[in-house]
Amino acid sequence: METNWSIRLDTEAQTLGDRAATRLRELIHSGVFAPGQQLPAEPELARRLGVSRPTLRAAVAELIADLLLVRRRGVGTFVATTPHPADGLERLVGTGRGIALLGRRPGTTGLRVRHVVADRSLAGDLRIDPGDPVVHISRTRTADGVPVVHCAEWIPADLLPDPTALDGFGTRDSLYDVLADLGLPVRQAVARFVPVLPDPDLRDRLDVAPDVPVLLLEQRHFPATRADRIVLFSRNWYDTRRIDLQAIRRG
Amino acid sequence: METNWSIRLDTEAQTLGDRAATRLRELIHSGVFAPGQQLPAEPELARRLGVSRPTLRAAVAELIADLLLVRRRGVGTFVATTPHPADGLERLVGTGRGIALLGRRPGTTGLRVRHVVADRSLAGDLRIDPGDPVVHISRTRTADGVPVVHCAEWIPADLLPDPTALDGFGTRDSLYDVLADLGLPVRQAVARFVPVLPDPDLRDRLDVAPDVPVLLLEQRHFPATRADRIVLFSRNWYDTRRIDLQAIRRG
């Protein structure tokens, strides 16, 4: 039986070319297209992915540039034989999905949703006014049952249809999905990297000793639809002994 | 007088479309195109950048996706008014150039070039055999005279035209330029982020206290021309109190 590789329309922010490239990456990383294997001919691959040939060509060019595919003139296009890492931090995915992409089982402990008002510092981080209402979500993420990152997240309440919209937020839910459902799909985040020593609360949540530095990622998230708003500010503290943090940097 | 914006051919790894996008980013970040300003009409802009209109269109689409440009239907394309950071770590540039891009004056202290042989660990990092000869470069980078990152770099000696090729490596030289001159332009790097407490040597080089964590970036560099080789392995220790490390994550 022929496998259908067609593209899931999972975000509004991606072009069809981006999605074709993402789908091809998934097919390579999942081993459907194995290292060294020749890709099907262009018309067949375009048909099975459900995209036009120019769109497929753009996606293939992107993966060649990323060294995942190799073109042999007059022969065809092959999956690179060199082991190469999957995408890293440079690609924005939710923390839970990021854990799953590393081949580990994501979980959540200590989920708490609170209504707060922005102090001067948080107002600056969210580009709102001090005193504005904010919904604050706090949770620790586990990988195969081991705590790997503690997440603190803040969303301006005026972006929500009503202040209680997140009160039923579940341990398996994704804030990115919630924002997409609200018509604010997250397009990109500016992440700041800061190594820190854990305070007592964080030591307890991540089960780390006082002299073990953890990596804080401070992130401001921008939606695809409104460049003027920050829809989510987050602080994620990673125990990098238990979860590998990598990024692909491109020249 | 009309300004010439045309593209410098600084790396072989970028397509013309990539370079057009990079040039437009530079024109925006440098303020030549100010926030809110309308871009010149497509034919004029293409001519002044020295690219075709389809190439320009691809570059403009990329910057719209990155929220740097905004298209107003029937009116034109404008520079976004929201302040937005320049590229971050996700874009691979040399350490010295990265410091300059932050608007600071890069410098180098303690430059040392040594000939070593790979132990088992380094051989794994460079994908060579233990005992293979390697050139090791060590230097501390300063920003406006203040030490901000200590860099240790290793290049397999068989990639060099002769073992002494780097003996004259200067404090202002870029290893990326050297590799490009050797026909091995660096295309991408896989970077691993590890927060660490500084050892005595590092404390001395970066002038930090024992309890101040620093951020180690471990990087394997891949060339555009040979996907099977790692051309450079580096360990960079950043004092993030003195230099901001940010990345743009795209969904």
Side-chain angles (χ1 to χ4, degrees):
Chain A
M1 199 193 77
E2 182 175 288
T3 313
N4 179 7
W5 298 322
S6 51
I7 295 158
R8 283 164 297 145
L9 297 164
D10 54 354
T11 95
E12 297 172 37
Q14 286 190 305
T15 66
L16 201 59
D18 287 340
R19 287 198 297 260
T22 299
R23 188 74 191 104
L24 277 178
R25 279 176 208 281
E26 287 172 0
L27 290 165
I28 292 168
H29 291 140
S30 64
V32 170
F33 293 148
Q37 183 183 329
Q38 184 169 10
L39 290 192
E42 192 179 278
E44 185 197 338
L45 188 53
R47 186 176 54 78
R48 293 177 69 180
L49 287 168
V51 297
S52 71
R53 290 175 65 178
T55 298
L56 175 63
R57 243 171 262 145
V60 166
E62 180 181 326
L63 269 63
I64 289 173
D66 287 349
L67 311 178
L68 282 173
L69 293 176
V70 177
R71 178 166 289 145
R72 298 196 200 136
R73 300 264 165 226
V75 185
T77 304
F78 295 78
V79 179
T81 49
T82 313
H84 217 269
D87 300 319
L89 281 176
E90 79 290 349
R91 201 162 287 261
L92 185 63
V93 297
T95 312
R97 186 155 175 241
I99 292 168
L101 285 173
L102 291 171
R104 300 167 72 180
R105 182 173 44 83
T108 297
T109 61
L111 174 64
R112 201 174 159 196
V113 180
R114 273 178 293 173
H115 298 267
V116 300
V117 293
D119 60 16
R120 186 157 296 277
S121 160
L122 182 60
D125 292 325
L126 284 170
R127 290 193 197 150
I128 56 176
D129 290 323
D132 280 356
V134 173
V135 178
H136 175 41
I137 291 170
S138 155
R139 47 184 168 164
T140 303
R141 315 301 289 255
T142 59
D144 298 326
V146 177
V148 291
V149 49
H150 179 65
C151 305
E153 294 154 303
W154 293 268
I155 293 182
D158 74 291
L159 294 175
L160 304 174
D162 71 89
T164 64
L166 284 170
D167 287 4
F169 190 78
T171 55
R172 290 165 171 274
D173 290 344
S174 156
L175 272 185
Y176 290 4
D177 289 347
V178 170
L179 288 166
D181 289 346
L182 293 174
L184 296 166
V186 171
R187 163 74 201 184
Q188 64 179 39
V190 178
R192 212 171 134 241
F193 298 81
V194 189
V196 295
L197 287 173
D199 67 17
D201 177 62
L202 198 57
R203 298 204 294 261
D204 190 44
R205 291 179 190 278
L206 290 177
D207 189 25
V208 294
D211 61 346
V212 171
V214 296
L215 183 53
L216 165 60
L217 249 75
E218 274 195 356
Q219 300 189 120
R220 287 171 294 147
H221 294 76
F222 298 84
T225 42
R226 296 193 55 182
D228 60 323
R229 286 301 301 263
I230 290 172
V231 288
L232 171 64
F233 175 69
S234 66
R235 284 203 178 97
N236 295 345
W237 290 268
Y238 287 85
D239 178 355
T240 60
R241 300 168 313 167
R242 294 184 184 140
I243 188 165
D244 225 24
L245 281 193
Q246 296 201 341
I248 317 288
R249 306 180 65 190
R250 295 183 170 90
Chain B
M1 197 193 76
E2 181 174 288
T3 313
N4 178 8
W5 297 323
S6 54
I7 295 159
R8 283 165 297 144
L9 296 164
D10 54 354
T11 95
E12 296 172 35
Q14 286 190 304
T15 66
L16 201 59
D18 288 340
R19 285 197 298 259
T22 299
R23 188 73 192 103
L24 277 177
R25 280 175 206 280
E26 287 172 358
L27 291 166
I28 293 167
H29 292 311
S30 64
V32 170
F33 294 147
Q37 182 182 330
Q38 183 169 10
L39 290 192
E42 193 178 277
E44 185 197 337
L45 188 52
R47 186 175 55 77
R48 292 177 69 180
L49 288 168
V51 298
S52 70
R53 290 174 67 177
T55 296
L56 175 63
R57 244 172 261 143
V60 166
E62 180 181 326
L63 268 64
I64 289 173
D66 287 348
L67 311 178
L68 282 173
L69 294 176
V70 178
R71 178 167 290 146
R72 297 196 199 134
R73 300 262 164 226
V75 185
T77 304
F78 294 78
V79 179
T81 50
T82 313
H84 217 270
D87 300 316
L89 280 177
E90 78 290 348
R91 201 163 287 262
L92 185 63
V93 297
T95 312
R97 187 158 172 239
I99 291 168
L101 285 172
L102 291 171
R104 299 168 72 181
R105 181 173 44 83
T108 296
T109 62
L111 173 65
R112 200 172 158 198
V113 181
R114 271 178 296 174
H115 298 268
V116 300
V117 293
D119 61 16
R120 186 158 296 277
S121 162
L122 181 60
D125 292 326
L126 285 170
R127 290 192 197 151
I128 56 176
D129 290 322
D132 280 356
V134 173
V135 177
H136 175 41
I137 291 170
S138 156
R139 47 186 168 163
T140 303
R141 315 300 289 255
T142 59
D144 299 326
V146 177
V148 291
V149 49
H150 180 65
C151 305
E153 294 154 303
W154 293 267
I155 293 183
D158 75 290
L159 294 174
L160 304 174
D162 71 273
T164 64
L166 285 170
D167 289 2
F169 190 78
T171 54
R172 288 165 172 275
D173 291 344
S174 156
L175 272 184
Y176 290 3
D177 289 346
V178 170
L179 287 166
D181 289 345
L182 293 174
L184 296 167
V186 171
R187 163 75 200 183
Q188 62 180 38
V190 179
R192 213 171 133 242
F193 298 82
V194 190
V196 295
L197 287 173
D199 67 16
D201 178 62
L202 198 56
R203 298 204 293 263
D204 189 45
R205 290 180 190 277
L206 290 178
D207 189 23
V208 294
D211 61 346
V212 172
V214 295
L215 183 53
L216 165 61
L217 250 76
E218 274 195 355
Q219 300 189 118
R220 287 172 295 146
H221 294 77
F222 297 84
T225 42
R226 295 193 54 183
D228 60 323
R229 287 300 301 262
I230 291 172
V231 289
L232 171 64
F233 175 69
S234 66
R235 285 202 178 96
N236 295 344
W237 290 268
Y238 287 85
D239 179 355
T240 60
R241 301 169 311 167
R242 296 187 183 136
I243 188 165
D244 225 23
L245 280 194
Q246 295 201 342
I248 317 289
R249 306 181 63 191
R250 296 183 170 89

